[in-house]
């Protein structure tokens, strides 16, 4: 972050900022009375505690205390929100979650365990697929934006824009696109029909023959013994071969030959129920796609900042040394970007593990349980349905927190190692 | 009337003691300079006077009242910081009036004082600017102005000129001097530049490692340094020190046999010293003269000559391998590699220090 | 032929000095595709939001809001659809559709309303006109909808209230704490910093249940304060502001102390203005968090009077599949404030977030 000198460059006199400054001063003066009296009483140094107090109160009550409470609730049963009314059940909740013959097959678990393990496996699958894809795409985008691109600010802003949108808005947008009678199906249907009618036309056939001829000619050149090459190259160029074939085809067709590329025809398009289709992987695919769509820009931005932080004179020095550019990329860019990459990887992994909003609004975890994530399991155990199983939810949270803690520790050691090495 | 008195003031940061019991009494209207090498505790001492740093033991008295527990804001002092510490988000005018507003000074009075300070420091045109839009010298003046408008009992300056270039520094030195003349307030000024100290101070306090080495008028410090450190610190270029042993003690003088050969007589009280005791002879470069005759006290092999036109410096080594510098008026023919004979100053300008404690032998009464 | 240098010049930042390289084209193509992928869905939704319910149900793939032209029937009892009739001789005429008869349709030419003729339906094509439907927007907001299930103004007000109040509180509360933790020495300070930083690592999603119980015990369920208060003391904010305040020189505070300012005044008049860059980053983050927040409001708020926009929207989506036109319009209204803020503060937001690595 820049220092304080920047703002001192602003001109002092401005009616609006003057008015704001005046109001600011007034507010401060009004509050100054009591604080000054307090300071007289307890001394200047103790004022630190006064400044800390509001934060500590809120933090303690709504972060620290719940963290401890969570453990306790995990060992209690019943449906009451009043602690005193919750019976102690020992490891009962955990047993319900973990007592499975096989974790790989959630159906063998008790009801709560089924929901839990379905969520875990779905979330794991989601994270393992989504994170690498997103990071790679973000990296490629960042690298491209880091070139001498015109209008970098514009591109960067557009890619970042979805990050600003709320998960609900994102879900509504994509739900609208992915409906059975939605624009995506309409476009695909049009494209299929267009293709199927295109391949029956004569120009298409001629052009295809030309292309095939051209590539066949090149291939021929590759396999030809070196001795014969000069002859072939002077006599038939691949282009000539292609043109010749094309002309022959055209003539044949004019003569009425039924030469056709019908075999390229696609089957008639049948609209897909992208988000509801139970027999395909499409719902999970789109969940991953939409989530990536919404969050890519953030990681792209971080990686771009990392790339731009690499001093340019390093590249200039490498150029002076005659280092090939590919080598400069592998030996300068990537190593120096590594710390940022690790931050991005782990951050996105932690976030992916907590995915809820987008998925919940988009698919509601469906179809069936196909896209039900672990946080949805926690949420639904506690807040949905008639049986409010707070104990199960808390116990699940403890397990999830354990997983996240491990991820975080990995991040910390990784970053520490990077910083140290 | 504002006087300041420090009584056995000490300061400890954690386990390290950085001020070791300082006693100091400052009269009204004096211009006092704290001088000493970096890290000797000048700033710490000043900040304890200001109230920004609590004293560990001892007492700070302003106008005979102990102010140890009075917060900085209520001591009625003003301070000019080394980095100026101007509020970057406020205009010059706001910077000047901020303190007065805190004291609930009436508006017209604030305006009057700001205008007067601006006039005095020639910055009327700068009042609506922000610190970022000022030059170093202008910022310096604003920082001083911020202190001036408060009409403090005592002004405190912590190395206020160290961020300025040499020329501006000289100019600001004069301006601060004028300011002192005009306001007549007590001022305490911290610097590690002995030229600043000599030119500005009524009295100088020389500090070293958290101890007060000497406190007195500038010329007293120059003429009668209390110990090796003050002698070396005050005066430019530095005083030369030659080791030797007491050859003989007389009534009103001491004969010293130098390691570099030769014996010199120093008029001073022997102070209980015995023959054979190690001593240091101090001679200022400007008091040494070239001589080619037999009366040379020592011989110098010149390793470097600096010709400044109006004056020249010779640097070289004695036979004892001790370094020595000489200042000559005008220009010189001596070149590097020459060997020259030196006469070590008039006897009255020779200083003798105890070789172990570094204390000066007291001059004759 | 793709050589290694080609690939590498793609990867490194310097463009070849000889004008446009093919990697440049590829870069711009990539970017353009990406931008389309980002903007088209939003644009499509925006265009859909001004279409008629019928166009939405029919899934009209045209971008513009086409609607069939209708005219009132002669007796004024109903609206008749207008078609273009291609006559056997190839000429065309506009006709109004009165009713079907077998495979034919009974129509009359607009030029000659009195004479009803029968034409084959295959000779008819709908006559569409461009007709944006702003009622999609006005009905749920200022109009009087039959069913006021989507009370936009109420939700908008709730969201705005939560966002503004929470952001102001977040700024003040965290700045105060950051000030104490960066500019004072007191016992336990370093331990406190460590505690705060380490809770950065604990995601709020894992304390849903106890937090819910605490909030319900305090009687803040179904109150906007129950949404606002729990998250104002964010470790992120303290951390961010403290890091910035550490860079503000202590001498400034000492100068202010010499100037007789109280500690509060130093905070208010010196620290806060000087921390403006960090405060604005936190403000941006807070506005984003709060405006877009979904899960916590979903848990705390169950009555629709206190719904935020996000809650209202998701509930509306669940309830009314046939009211897609309202849902889309309301979605546009929901993303509009964020979009406007982004358009104006884009540079500030992206640099701020890039510098802190927070979202
Ligand atoms: N807050 C502190 N905590 C611990 N030690 C300190 C602190 N402030 C100063 N010191 C130590 O006290 C000694 C005196 O510091 P001080 O700043 O007073 O020196 P100074 O004479 O002003 O030096 P300079 O000429 O470089 O400004 C130094 O050794 C310094 O390291
Ligand atoms: Mg200092």
């Amino acid at each position: 972050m820049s220092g304080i000198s920047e703002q001192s460059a602003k001109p002092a006199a401005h009616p609006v900022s003057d008015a704001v400054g005046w109001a600011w001063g007034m507010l401060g003066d009004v509050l100054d009375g009591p604080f000054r009296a307090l300071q007289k009483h307890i001394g200047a140094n103790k004022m630190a505690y006064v400044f800390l107090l509001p934060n500590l109160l809120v933090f303690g009550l709504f972060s620290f205390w719940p963290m401890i409470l969570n453990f306790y609730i995990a060992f209690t049963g019943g449906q009451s929100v009043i602690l005193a009314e919750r019976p102690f059940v020992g490891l009962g909740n955990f047993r319900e979650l973990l007592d499975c013959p096989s974790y790989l097959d959630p159906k063998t678990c008790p009801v709560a365990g089924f929901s839990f393990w379905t969520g875990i496996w779905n979330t794991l699958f989601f994270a393992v697929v989504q994170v690498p894809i997103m990071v790679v795409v973000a990296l490629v985008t960042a690298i491209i934006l880091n070139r001498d691109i015109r209008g970098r600010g514009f591109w960067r802003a557009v890619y970042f824009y979805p990050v600003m949108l709320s998960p609900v808005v994102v879900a509504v947008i994509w739900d609208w696109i992915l409906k059975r009678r939605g624009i995506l199906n309409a476009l695909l249907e049009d494209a299929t029909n267009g293709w199927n009618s295109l391949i029956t036309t004569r120009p298409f056939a001629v052009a295809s023959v030309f292309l095939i001829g051209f590539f066949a000619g090149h291939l021929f050149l590759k396999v030809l013994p070196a001795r014969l090459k000069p002859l072939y190259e002077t006599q038939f160029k691949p282009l000539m071969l292609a043109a010749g074939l094309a002309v022959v085809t055209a003539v044949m067709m004019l003569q009425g030959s039924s030469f056709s590329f019908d075999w390229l025809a696609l089957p008639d398009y049948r609209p897909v129920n992208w988000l509801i289709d139970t027999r395909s992987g499409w719902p999970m695919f789109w969940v991953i796609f939409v989530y990536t769509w919404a969050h890519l820009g953030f990681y792209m931005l971080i990686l771009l900042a990392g790339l731009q932080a690499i001093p340019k004179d390093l590249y200039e020095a490498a150029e002076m040394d005659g280092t090939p550019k590919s080598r400069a990329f592998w030996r300068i860019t990537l190593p120096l970007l590594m710390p940022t990459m690790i931050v991005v990887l782990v951050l996105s992994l932690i976030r992916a593990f907590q995915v809820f909003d987008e998925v919940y609004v988009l698919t509601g975890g469906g179809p069936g349980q196909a896209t039900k994530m672990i946080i949805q399991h926690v949420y639904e155990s506690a807040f949905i349905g008639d049986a409010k199983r707070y104990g199960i939810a808390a116990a699940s949270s403890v397990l999830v927190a354990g997983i996240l803690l491990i991820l975080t520790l990995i991040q910390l050691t990784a970053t520490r190692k990077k910083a140290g090495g | 009337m504002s006087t300041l008195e420090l009584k056995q003031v000490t300061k400890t940061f954690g386990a390290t003691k950085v001020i070791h019991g300082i006693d100091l009494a400052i009269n009204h209207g004096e211009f006092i300079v704290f001088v000493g090498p970096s890290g000797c505790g000048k700033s710490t001492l000043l900040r304890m006077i200001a109230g920004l740093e609590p004293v560990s033991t001892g007492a700070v008295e302003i106008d005979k009242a102990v102010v140890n527990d009075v917060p900085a804001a209520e001591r009625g002092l003003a301070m000019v910081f080394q980095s100026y510490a101007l509020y970057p988000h406020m205009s010059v005018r706001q910077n000047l009036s901020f303190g007065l507003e805190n004291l609930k000074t009436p508006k017209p009075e604030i305006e009057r004082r700001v205008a007067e300070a601006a006039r005095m420091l020639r910055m009327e045109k700068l009042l609506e600017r922000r610190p970022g839009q000022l030059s170093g010298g202008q910022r310096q003046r604003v920082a001083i102005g911020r202190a001036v408008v408060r009409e403090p009992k005592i002004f405190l300056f912590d190395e206020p000129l160290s961020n300025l270039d040499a020329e501006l520094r000289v100019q600001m030195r004069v301006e601060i001097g004028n300011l002192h003349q005009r306001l007549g307030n007590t001022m305490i000024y911290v610097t590690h530049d002995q030229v600043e100290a000599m030119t500005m101070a009524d009295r100088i306090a020389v500090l070293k490692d958290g101890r007060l080495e000497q406190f007195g008028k500038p010329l007293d410090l120059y003429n009668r340094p209390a110990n090796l450190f003050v002698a070396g610190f005050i005066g430019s270029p530095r005083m030369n020190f030659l080791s030797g042993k007491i050859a003989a003690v007389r009534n009103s003088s001491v004969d010293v046999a130098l390691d570099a050969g030769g014996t010199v007589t120093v008029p001073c009280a022997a102070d209980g010293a015995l023959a054979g005791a190690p001593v240091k002879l101090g001679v200022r470069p400007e008091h040494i003269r070239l001589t080619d005759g037999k009366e040379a006290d020592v011989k110098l092999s010149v390793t470097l000559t600096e010709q400044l036109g109006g004056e020249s410096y010779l640097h070289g080594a004695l036979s004892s391998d001790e370094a020595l510098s000489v200042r000559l008026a005008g220009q010189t023919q001596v070149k590097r590699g020459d060997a020259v004979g030196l006469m070590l100053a008039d006897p009255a300008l020779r200083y003798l220090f105890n070789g172990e404690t570094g204390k000066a032998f007291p001059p004759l009464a | 032929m793709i050589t290694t240098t080609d690939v590498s010049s793609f990867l490194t930042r310097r463009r070849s000095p000889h004008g446009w390289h093919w990697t440049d084209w590829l870069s711009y193509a990539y970017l353009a595709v990406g931008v389309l992928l980002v903007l088209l869905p939003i644009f499509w939704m925006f265009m859909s939001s001004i279409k008629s319910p019928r166009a939405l149900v029919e899934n009209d793939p045209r971008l513009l809001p086409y609607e069939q032209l209708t005219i009132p029937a002669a007796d004024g009892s109903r609206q008749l659809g207008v078609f273009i009739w291609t006559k056997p001789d190839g000429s065309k005429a506009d006709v109004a559709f009165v009713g079907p008869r077998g495979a034919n349709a009974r129509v009359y030419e607009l030029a000659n309303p009195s004479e009803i003729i029968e034409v084959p339906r295959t000779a008819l094509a709908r006559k569409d006109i461009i007709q944006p439907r702003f009622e999609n927007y006005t009905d749920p907001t200022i109009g009087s909808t039959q069913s006021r299930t989507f009370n936009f103004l109420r939700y908008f007000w709730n969201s705005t209230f939560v966002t503004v109040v929470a952001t102001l509180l977040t700024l003040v509360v965290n700045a105060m704490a950051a000030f104490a933790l960066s500019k004072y020495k007191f016992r336990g300070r370093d331990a406190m910093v460590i505690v705060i930083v380490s809770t950065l690592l604990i995601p709020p999603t894992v304390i849903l249940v106890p937090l819910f119980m605490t909030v319900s015990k305090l009687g803040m369920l179904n109150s906007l304060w129950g949404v606002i208060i729990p998250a104002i003391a964010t470790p992120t904010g303290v951390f961010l502001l403290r890091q910035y305040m550490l860079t503000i020189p202590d001498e400034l505070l000492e100068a202010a102390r010499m100037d007789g300012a109280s500690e509060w005044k130093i905070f208010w008049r010196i620290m806060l203005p000087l921390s403006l860059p960090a405060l604005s980053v936190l403000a941006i983050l807070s506005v984003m968090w709060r405006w877009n927040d979904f899960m916590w409001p979903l848990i705390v708020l169950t009555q629709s009077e206190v719904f935020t926009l996000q809650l209202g929207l998701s509930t509306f989506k669940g309830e009314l599949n046939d009211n897609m036109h309202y849902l889309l319009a309301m979605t546009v209204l929901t993303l509009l404030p964020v979009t406007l803020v982004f358009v104006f503060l884009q540079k500030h937001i992206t640099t701020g977030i890039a510098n802190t690595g927070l979202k």
Side-chain angles (χ1 to χ4, degrees), chain A residues 35 44 63 94 109 227 269 309 312 355 410 412:
Chain A
F35 277 104
S63 291
F94 290 96
C109 301
R227 231 161 2 100
Y269 183 77
K312 290 180 189 63
V355 58
I410 293 174
L412 284 186

Side-chain angles (χ1 to χ4, degrees), chain A residues 132-367:
Chain A
I133 291 177
M134 180 171 71
V135 171
V136 168
V137 178
L139 181 63
V140 170
T141 314
I143 287 172
I144 289 181
L145 282 181
N146 194 38
R147 310 179 80 225
D148 275 337
I149 288 289
R150 246 156 278 187
R152 181 184 300 148
F154 165 79
W155 303 107
R156 192 181 56 181
V158 172
Y159 278 100
F160 186 78
Y161 175 53
V163 177
M164 303 283 299
L165 300 181
S166 81
V168 179
V169 166
V170 169
V172 171
I173 293 175
W174 282 99
D175 184 50
W176 173 236
I177 288 170
L178 298 173
K179 273 183 175 325
R180 188 172 178 281
R181 299 180 59 88
I183 187 69
L184 183 63
N185 275 328
L187 286 180
L188 287 177
E189 184 162 7
D190 283 357
T192 312
N193 293 342
W195 172 257
N196 285 350
S197 57
L198 178 72
I199 56 173
T200 59
T201 60
R202 285 179 177 169
F204 178 83
V206 174
S208 308
V209 168
F210 178 84
L211 274 181
I212 292 170
F214 187 70
F215 282 109
H218 267 289
L219 200 67
F220 187 54
L221 198 64
K222 275 251 153 67
V223 298
L224 208 64
R227 231 161 2 100
L228 296 175
K229 246 179 204 169
L231 178 77
Y232 172 77
E233 271 175 7
T234 45
Q235 300 296 314
F236 327 87
K237 296 204 159 83
L239 200 63
M240 284 169 55
L241 179 68
L245 281 177
V247 169
V248 171
T249 315
V251 171
M252 275 167 64
M253 279 167 52
L254 284 178
Q255 310 245 308
S257 146
S258 63
F259 187 79
S260 134
F261 277 83
D262 282 352
W263 50 273
L264 278 178
L266 295 169
D268 273 349
Y269 183 77
R270 301 194 26 232
V272 182
N273 235 333
W274 298 114
L275 295 175
I276 303 173
D277 194 284
T278 42
R279 285 154 308 161
S280 66
W282 285 121
M284 186 54 112
F285 171 88
W286 285 111
V287 162
I288 291 174
F289 178 90
V290 171
Y291 186 85
T292 308
W293 182 88
H295 295 272
L296 179 81
F298 172 68
Y299 299 98
M300 183 275 300
L301 194 64
I302 304 283
L303 286 170
L304 183 58
L307 282 173
Q308 292 184 330
I310 301 175
K312 290 180 189 63
D313 48 7
L314 285 184
Y315 293 104
E316 279 155 16
E319 214 169 314
M320 297 300 288
D321 291 346
T323 317
K325 284 183 175 163
S326 55
R327 197 173 150 78
F329 177 77
W330 291 108
R331 302 302 294 274
I332 299 176
T333 311
L334 273 194
L336 289 180
L337 193 62
M338 228 14 166
T340 321
M341 275 295 278
I342 289 176
V343 168
V344 161
L345 259 175
V346 182
L347 208 61
S348 54
L349 206 58
I350 292 174
R351 292 260 171 78
F353 229 89
Q354 300 178 63
V355 58
F356 173 77
D357 299 358
E358 289 90 349
V359 182
Y360 187 70
V361 184
L362 193 64
T363 68

Side-chain angles (χ1 to χ4, degrees), chain A residues 61-62 65-66 69 73 79-86 382-383 388 390, chain C residues 207-223 225-227 229-230 296 299-302:
Chain A
L61 197 57
F62 296 106
W65 170 238
L69 202 58
I73 298 171
Q79 297 198 24
S80 172
V81 287
I82 298 157
L83 274 188
E85 293 174 8
R86 299 184 60 82
F383 305 111
K388 307 267 191 280
Y390 298 117
Chain C
I207 54 167
L208 287 181
V209 172
L211 189 55
F212 171 77
M213 289 185 176
T214 310
V215 166
S216 93
K217 178 127 198 167
L218 295 172
M220 295 201 288
L221 288 188
N222 273 317
S223 139
W225 293 105
V227 175
I229 300 286
W296 185 240
I299 290 169
V300 176
L301 309 175
T302 51

Side-chain angles (χ1 to χ4, degrees), chain B residues 8-9 14 17 154 157 170 177 185 191 205 280 294 331 364:
Chain B
Q8 275 304 307
V9 168
K17 197 163 187 182
I154 303 176
F157 296 87
V170 174
N185 287 35
T191 178
K280 293 259 186 202
K294 284 257 176 301
Q331 303 170 3
L364 293 172

